[in-house]
Amino acid sequence: MTTDKKSLRPSATFPQDVLDEIHRAADQGIYEIRGFGAKRDLPTFDDLVLLGASMSRYPLEGYREKCGTDVILGNRFAKKPIELKIPITIAGMSFGALGANAKEAIGRAASELGTSTTTGDGGMTEEERQSSKTLVYQVLPSRYGLNPDDLRRADALEVVVGQGAKPGGGGMLLGHKITERVAAMRDLPQDIDQRSACRHPDWTGPDDLEIKIQELREITDWQIPIYVKVGATRVHYDVTLAVKSGADVVVVDGMQGGTAATQDVFIEHVGIPTLPAVRMAVEALQDLQMHRKVQLIVSGGIRSGADAAKALALGADAVSLGSAAMVALGCNRDVYREDYETLGTAPGYCHHCHTGRCPVGITTQDADLEKRLEPKQGARKLRNYLMTMVLEIQTLARACGKTHALNLEPEDLTALTVEAAAMAQVPLAGTSWIPGKNK
Amino acid sequence: MKTFDLNVDPVRMVNQELHDSPVGGFSINSPEGRHCIACGVDAEIDVTIDGHVGYYCAGMNKLASIQIAGNAGPGVAENMMSGSVRIKGNASQYAGASAHGGTLIIEGDASSRCGISMKGADIIVMGSVGHMSAFMAQSGRLVICGDAGDYLGDSIYEADIYILGETGELGVDCIEKKMTAEHRDSLSDLLIANKIDRSAKEFRRYGSARKLYNFNIDHADDY
Ligand code: SF4
């Protein structure tokens, strides 16, 4: 009997991927846990374009006229603010989720370019302190490995309230990544599934956080800046409360932000995209008259100099990279194909950081796999990528007539879609219409 | 012995002096509930605080011996690494939260979440503790001479809880465990070393059933 083509009509409500997921859930009885970030289609900085100078504004000469990219972070209270040569930092990624070689490669590249790296859940490793000239030390709900010596040898602290991939969720590191060293750093038994808390153990709410920040300042003798990181949800309120709590720098991580292991349902369905988050954060700072006084770092799906330039134009002081930095190190590169296949995936599709079997040696604790990422070579690749981003930012800023990347402004932007115009609050291209603002 | 009066000397100045002193004894008067007193100390100094303290007193203490002749606000001795902190009165929430080492002694009662996320410290409460104490406690010992509120040891890892009095409803994955001779001896040493007039024989031990260590769908009701 031949199949009637009409009877092969797919369901819009139950397309093949939905059917597959229901079958998988029925077989396994547990949500999917995976790495990487949101894979769904979301409004991004691609929906904005920059308005280059012509008659009404003068562009700067490429390569000849200077376009600055340096940025100072955390000069509100700290005696030693962070001075970066480029407005791109490396976001927090834990030793445990990442191997030591990846952490070292990231530290080397960032240091060469005069920017900062960030620790993650699990504490500070000697390798990353040694390789990172400027290191931001995260204070997380789990407090794994947290100690006053590392607080004092950090260049800044970052109190993590949430992250874009899972605002409201705690950390997760599956048993096969808890090696002896990782277990010792976290004071946990080996091989267990580590579920770290989603709330800090010793404060709740902004009034407590204000005192917590005071304690961290006292312990570090008011020397270093204190950042507060939030996952993008109710951004206006969260940024306002972070500033009220005394943050020197606010980090806002959009829903495209990556993770080493989180429930897929969390990654795809909680939080808002980075695009509206930047604008909401800037508005909150402006309402408090703290824009540029408390600096704003934006992360979550930043991939290129264009993304960074647009985030800066919306009012961010710097952007931060996690996933993109890993891609520069070789994530999803078309090598070791058979190892991707063993994981049931292929180059370009991998989100298997949670397995600890990273084919390119980044998110693994396996000694043989780790050898695939030689720290110096990895550092060179990441440095090249960051340098490319900086050149792109300068190209775009000069085209808009700016002598410094931070001089980019919302006026330099226009939106290609109504959604992006509404989210970024810049006019729809070819109109002066900003949805919600004017007619 | 150097004396400070917090009605005159700012907390910042006093903490800086404590941080800059490798040895010595210090007396701090008029704390009057101020926050962050004597936090971040990193030397074998003796500090006595005469009165009630606010949040995070003796936070992240290393090496120092700190006495609080009064009650302590939330987060006393949080993330302590070593040394000792002794409170004559009661302690508020999160006492000894995530403490990695050292000894915290609370002569009165402790409020909720005492020893939350503790990572190796010894915490001795001569009175009772509030609910959710030793939540996600990873290692170390929480010794309770009185009673414990509900959900004691919820999601506990490898920490040991010793208790003399009653427990309320136990936390998820927390069970009563056998008091072996080894546990009794080590508890006895701890009590003697800290001049606690109780016999280790009277205590019961609680710890992890280890059912939550690796996800199992058949235990989903516990999550
Ligand atoms: S290649 Fe490695 S880092 Fe990239 S998604 Fe796969 S496991 Fe993660």
Side-chain angles (χ1 to χ4, degrees):
Chain A
M1 188 173 141
T2 55
T3 312
D4 176 4
K5 275 195 181 161
K6 270 199 278 178
S7 68
L8 287 181
R9 185 178 168 198
S11 164
T13 310
F14 291 93
Q16 192 56 50
D17 60 325
V18 172
L19 296 172
D20 289 346
E21 172 53 19
I22 295 174
H23 293 149
R24 189 206 60 76
D27 289 342
Q28 297 176 2
I30 183 175
Y31 39 60
E32 184 191 355
I33 293 171
R34 67 171 177 85
F36 220 67
K39 290 196 160 185
R40 63 190 289 177
D41 196 14
L42 291 166
T44 69
F45 290 106
D46 284 344
D47 301 327
L48 301 179
V49 286
L50 287 148
L51 299 170
S54 56
M55 291 287 278
S56 60
R57 293 175 176 220
Y58 308 119
L60 298 187
E61 291 288 351
Y63 304 111
R64 293 189 191 89
E65 286 179 293
K66 200 170 157 33
C67 177
T69 58
D70 54 310
V71 52
I72 293 181
L73 301 172
N75 51 0
R76 186 182 182 194
F77 294 116
K79 289 189 190 125
K80 293 180 190 157
I82 299 287
E83 293 176 17
L84 302 180
K85 293 206 179 109
I86 62 173
I88 309 167
T89 69
I90 304 296
M93 290 178 276
S94 73
F95 170 73
L98 267 59
N101 284 1
K103 290 294 277 183
E104 185 183 335
I106 288 169
R108 282 172 177 272
S111 300
E112 276 182 53
L113 286 182
T115 191
S116 61
T117 62
T118 314
T119 65
D121 212 355
M124 184 189 289
T125 65
E126 201 50 47
E127 293 95 322
E128 68 183 328
R129 179 60 281 187
Q130 292 309 322
S131 57
S132 305
K133 187 170 165 290
T134 308
L135 181 60
V136 182
Y137 185 36
Q138 289 192 326
V139 178
L140 290 125
S142 73
R143 306 283 163 87
Y144 292 140
L146 187 76
N147 68 77
D149 298 333
D150 286 342
L151 285 188
R152 294 192 191 98
R153 62 182 191 148
D155 299 291
L157 306 180
E158 181 170 289
V159 179
V160 180
V161 180
Q163 72 179 88
K166 48 179 164 184
M172 196 177 269
L173 194 64
L174 300 185
H176 36 258
K177 290 179 90 169
I178 311 266
T179 59
E180 201 178 338
R181 183 175 178 200
V182 174
M185 281 181 72
R186 297 178 184 222
D187 301 286
L188 284 172
Q190 242 180 291
D191 300 323
I192 68 165
D193 293 341
Q194 169 260 292
R195 305 151 283 133
S196 51
C198 62
R199 291 202 307 270
H200 283 259
D202 58 354
W203 63 269
T204 28
D207 295 335
D208 283 5
L209 176 58
E210 186 174 350
I211 307 170
K212 187 75 209 170
I213 288 177
Q214 188 194 338
E215 185 206 9
L216 295 171
R217 289 197 195 283
E218 285 294 323
I219 291 170
T220 54
D221 293 330
W222 293 70
Q223 296 290 317
I224 57 177
I226 298 186
Y227 304 4
V228 172
K229 177 175 180 175
V230 294
T233 54
R234 298 173 184 86
V235 177
H236 196 285
Y237 294 123
D238 290 341
V239 169
T240 302
L241 293 171
V243 173
K244 186 238 160 220
S245 302
D248 294 302
V249 173
V250 182
V251 183
V252 176
D253 192 22
M255 74 176 285
Q256 296 101 319
T259 170
T262 299
Q263 299 92 330
D264 176 80
V265 70
F266 221 138
I267 300 173
E268 300 288 5
H269 297 281
V270 185
I272 65 168
T274 307
L275 178 62
V278 189
R279 193 262 311 162
M280 292 166 83
V282 172
E283 277 179 6
L285 291 169
Q286 286 168 339
D287 287 353
L288 296 165
Q289 302 192 327
M290 293 303 261
H291 188 221
R292 306 290 189 212
K293 292 181 189 152
V294 168
Q295 287 78 29
L296 172 66
I297 301 179
V298 164
S299 55
I302 305 284
R303 306 152 299 176
S304 62
D307 286 349
K310 292 169 192 174
L312 297 179
L314 284 174
D317 295 274
V319 297
S320 198
L321 307 181
S323 303
M326 300 209 313
V327 174
L329 291 179
C331 161
N332 271 296
R333 196 180 263 271
D334 194 353
V335 288
Y336 305 110
R337 222 163 217 285
E338 60 291 352
D339 291 327
Y340 284 98
E341 281 160 16
T342 308
L343 292 172
T345 186
Y349 301 92
C350 187
H351 56 224
H352 291 61
C353 315
H354 60 292
T355 63
R357 306 292 309 160
C358 175
V360 290
I362 300 171
T363 52
T364 182
Q365 298 294 323
D366 179 280
D368 289 332
L369 289 172
E370 263 214 85
K371 281 193 201 122
R372 294 177 181 180
L373 180 66
E374 200 284 309
K376 283 190 190 142
Q377 278 174 17
R380 185 171 172 77
K381 288 199 160 40
L382 180 54
R383 198 202 61 180
N384 287 347
Y385 167 61
L386 291 172
M387 204 58 234
T388 305
M389 280 186 72
V390 173
L391 292 169
E392 287 174 350
I393 293 170
Q394 288 174 313
T395 300
L396 296 172
R398 282 198 190 96
C400 294
K402 312 296 187 198
T403 55
H404 198 287
L406 292 189
N407 292 347
L408 284 162
E409 54 194 324
E411 243 220 342
D412 296 316
L413 294 167
T414 193
L416 301 178
T417 66
V418 175
E419 287 82 359
M423 290 184 190
Q425 289 289 289
V426 298
L428 183 66
T431 76
S432 56
W433 181 47
I434 299 175
K437 214 170 224 176
N438 51 20
K439 299 223 165 109
Chain B
M1 171 80 70
K2 185 159 186 180
T3 302
F4 301 104
D5 183 341
L6 289 182
N7 279 336
V8 180
D9 307 312
V11 170
R12 174 79 286 267
M13 187 208 93
V14 173
N15 282 342
Q16 190 68 59
E17 188 121 358
L18 299 180
H19 295 175
D20 293 343
S21 306
V23 287
F26 300 86
S27 173
I28 300 174
N29 297 329
S30 317
E32 296 180 7
R34 287 180 178 84
H35 307 310
C36 313
I37 300 171
C39 63
V41 179
D42 187 10
E44 286 183 30
I45 59 175
D46 291 309
V47 181
T48 304
I49 304 165
D50 191 10
H52 308 308
V53 295
Y55 279 62
Y56 308 130
C57 182
M60 299 206 188
N61 183 48
K62 252 182 91 188
L63 302 169
S65 166
I66 298 177
Q67 290 236 14
I68 301 165
N71 300 322
V76 65
E78 66 85 22
N79 214 86
M80 177 164 60
M81 305 303 293
S82 61
S84 71
V85 174
R86 191 168 190 124
I87 302 156
K88 293 279 175 198
N90 303 315
S92 183
Q93 302 179 82
Y94 341 118
S98 76
H100 287 69
T103 310
L104 168 63
I105 300 165
I106 299 161
E107 295 191 5
D109 298 321
S111 180
S112 57
R113 298 182 172 82
C114 178
I116 181 172
S117 281
M118 58 191 281
K119 295 169 170 53
D122 289 319
I123 303 177
I124 304 170
V125 182
M126 293 169 72
S128 299
V129 298
H131 68 271
M132 295 293 272
S133 287
F135 174 57
M136 291 181 98
Q138 295 174 217
S139 61
R141 293 174 288 188
L142 173 62
V143 182
I144 306 159
C145 301
D147 304 326
D150 285 340
Y151 317 123
L152 178 70
D154 193 286
S155 305
I156 189 169
Y157 292 95
E158 294 297 299
D160 282 309
I161 301 171
Y162 298 98
I163 183 163
L164 265 179
E166 302 292 311
T167 58
E169 187 180 332
L170 288 179
V172 169
D173 214 30
C174 180
I175 53 168
E176 183 168 355
K177 299 189 122 178
K178 190 165 181 266
M179 188 77 167
T180 64
E182 194 186 329
H183 289 107
R184 204 165 24 245
D185 291 349
S186 90
L187 175 61
S188 184
D189 292 346
L190 180 68
L191 294 170
I192 291 166
N194 290 287
K195 301 186 180 65
I196 309 286
D197 188 19
R198 297 284 189 174
S199 162
K201 285 187 199 138
E202 299 170 52
F203 285 81
R204 303 186 310 283
R205 182 169 82 98
Y206 291 80
S208 178
R210 304 189 178 118
K211 278 198 323 193
L212 301 183
Y213 276 14
N214 295 92
F215 186 86
N216 180 337
I217 188 60
D218 296 326
H219 298 153
D221 289 349
D222 291 340
Y223 287 90

